[in-house]
């Protein structure tokens, strides 16, 4: 029997950067995100004679080790599995392919092995593979709060995509895989950044501000707190030793341009993750103008426009 699941990446508006427990992949603070549409991971699993992972049609290499170690750590027993996972967007380039990847896998493996997990349990399973994957179990606006332990640190939906259909313009400033993986980067920041402690302490208040802004559909308030969160995360990255410079000159140019557009009255703000791409969250009526302005920037090599989408779900194999 083959089972297929589909999931979309998500973009954090209130960021997570750092873990308090590596064994259970427990984040040191909460986070809040939007799940995208259009960018899709589709993962097919079936029982096999031995473990095998194909990533976009090629043997998974290091990713295969990571995936099977994760499954062995989370499940008491399992048969050998053949996993075929495909992304319709660049993998490991700061476009959150690990979020959609682990979310799709969690849903597919749960169905294949008839584990009967709840959405909350699927979110914990996905989180143990990749912190941000916990959020891709759900669609629309999603919040992840720290619980008292690993099993209670789980994402939950705040609003469906249709309840506030924002658009996201993604400016790719450099294609190809990222320089330092987020897992390695987070550990470096935790161990060496003098700003790390202050960073983890400011997240709870930012989460509350963002939650209230979303509830009230207050775009300006969401823009202010989201921009502050991503810049603070990059301050922690940059202040790590040696510094993590995910931001490139073209990323900075895009951020400056979006700030100008906002001053001119457009509803748009930027966020960035562990890579040089700039994601611009927009009200739908501003997205055309934002895309046109970013297309003119010399450092922008590719532009994508996506909406908000649904959580991970099964599809016919
Ligand atoms: O899912 P991970 O463990 O690779 O972490 C992703 C971290 C950021 O994308 C930088 C921020 C976030 O909250 O998604």
């Amino acid at each position: 029997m083959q089972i297929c699941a589909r999931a979309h990446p998500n973009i954090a508006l209130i960021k997570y950067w750092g873990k308090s427990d590596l064994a259970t992949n427990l984040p040191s603070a909460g986070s809040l995100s939007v799940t995208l549409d259009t960018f899709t991971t589709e993962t097919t699993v079936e029982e096999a004679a031995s473990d095998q992972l194909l990533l976009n049609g090629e043997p998974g290499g290091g990713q295969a080790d990571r995936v099977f170690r994760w499954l062995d750590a989370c499940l008491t027993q399992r048969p050998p599995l053949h996993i075929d996972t495909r992304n319709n967007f660049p993998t490991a380039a700061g476009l959150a392919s690990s979020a959609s990847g682990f979310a799709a896998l969690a849903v597919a493996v749960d169905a294949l092995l008839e584990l009967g997990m709840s959405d909350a349990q699927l979110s914990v399973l996905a989180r143990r593979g990749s912190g941000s994957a916990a959020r891709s179990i759900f669609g629309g606006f999603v919040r992840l709060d720290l619980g008292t332990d690993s099993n209670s640190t789980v994402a939950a939906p705040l609003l469906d995509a249709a309840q506030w259909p924002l658009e996201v313009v993604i400016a790719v400033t450099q294609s190809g895989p990222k320089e330092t993986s987020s897992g390695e980067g987070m550990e470096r920041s935790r161990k060496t950044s003098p700003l790390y402690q202050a960073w983890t302490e400011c997240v709870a208040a930012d989460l509350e501000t963002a939650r209230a802004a979303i509830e009230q559909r207050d775009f300006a308030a969401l823009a202010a707190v989201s921009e502050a969160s991503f810049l603070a995360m990059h301050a922690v990255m940059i202040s790590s030793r040696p510094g993590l410079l995910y931001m490139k000159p073209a990323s900075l140019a895009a951020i400056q341009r979006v700030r100008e557009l906002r001053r001119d009255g457009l509803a748009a703000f930027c966020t960035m993750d562990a890579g040089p791409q700039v994601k611009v969250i927009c009200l739908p009526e501003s997205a055309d103008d934002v895309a046109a302005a970013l297309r003119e920037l010399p450092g922008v090599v590719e532009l994508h426009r996506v909406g908000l989408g649904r959580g991970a779900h099964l599809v016919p194999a």
Side-chain angles (χ1 to χ4, degrees), residues 65 76 98 105 121 130 160 169 173 178-180 188 190 196 203 211 222-224 257 260 264 281-282 301 307:
D65 296 343
T76 40
S98 68
L105 252 171
Q121 288 169 316
S130 175
D160 284 345
V169 177
T173 60
K178 63 179 107 172
E179 290 161 21
T180 309
R188 189 187 301 174
R190 186 180 67 80
Y196 183 78
V203 176
R211 190 201 52 74
L222 187 61
R257 188 75 188 99
E260 283 168 16
D264 294 346
I281 318 293
C282 312
V301 294

Side-chain angles (χ1 to χ4, degrees), residues 72-111:
D72 288 334
C74 296
L75 306 177
T76 40
Q77 60 180 41
R78 65 168 181 93
L81 295 173
H82 177 86
I83 301 173
D84 187 336
T85 186
R86 289 164 196 274
N87 297 327
N88 72 351
F89 62 99
T91 300
L95 294 178
S97 55
S98 68
S100 50
F102 280 96
L105 252 171
V107 168
V109 168
D110 170 61

Side-chain angles (χ1 to χ4, degrees), residues 145-162:
D145 283 307
L146 286 189
T148 48
D149 59 10
S150 170
N151 286 332
S152 56
T153 298
V154 45
L158 283 172
L159 282 189
D160 284 345

Side-chain angles (χ1 to χ4, degrees), residues 194-211:
L195 307 187
Y196 183 78
Q197 190 60 28
W199 153 250
T200 54
E201 284 166 13
C202 79
V203 176
D206 287 350
L207 275 175
E208 230 6 74
T209 306
R211 190 201 52 74

Side-chain angles (χ1 to χ4, degrees), residues 201-248:
E201 284 166 13
C202 79
V203 176
D206 287 350
L207 275 175
E208 230 6 74
T209 306
R211 190 201 52 74
I214 290 164
E215 194 176 77
Q216 292 156 22
R217 315 292 195 272
D218 183 342
F219 191 83
L222 187 61
V225 72
S226 301
E227 195 183 85
S229 176
F230 106 80
L231 288 173
M233 179 180 76
H234 279 267
V236 174
M237 292 163 162
I238 291 168
S239 64
S240 305
R241 302 176 185 201
L244 294 155
L245 278 168
Y246 292 112
M247 212 180 268
K248 302 294 174 201

Side-chain angles (χ1 to χ4, degrees), residues 10-19 25 30-33 66 96 98-99 127 129-133 135 178 181-183 186 233-234 237 272-275 279:
N10 68 77
I11 304 294
L13 303 183
I14 304 302
K15 302 291 184 185
Y16 129 74
W17 188 253
K19 300 172 196 211
N25 205 31
S31 53
L32 186 152
S33 59
R66 175 176 172 190
S98 68
R127 195 211 74 227
S130 175
S132 55
R135 303 183 306 238
K178 63 179 107 172
S181 74
S182 48
M186 283 182 202
M233 179 180 76
H234 279 267
M237 292 163 162
M272 285 180 67
D273 295 290
K279 293 108 179 185

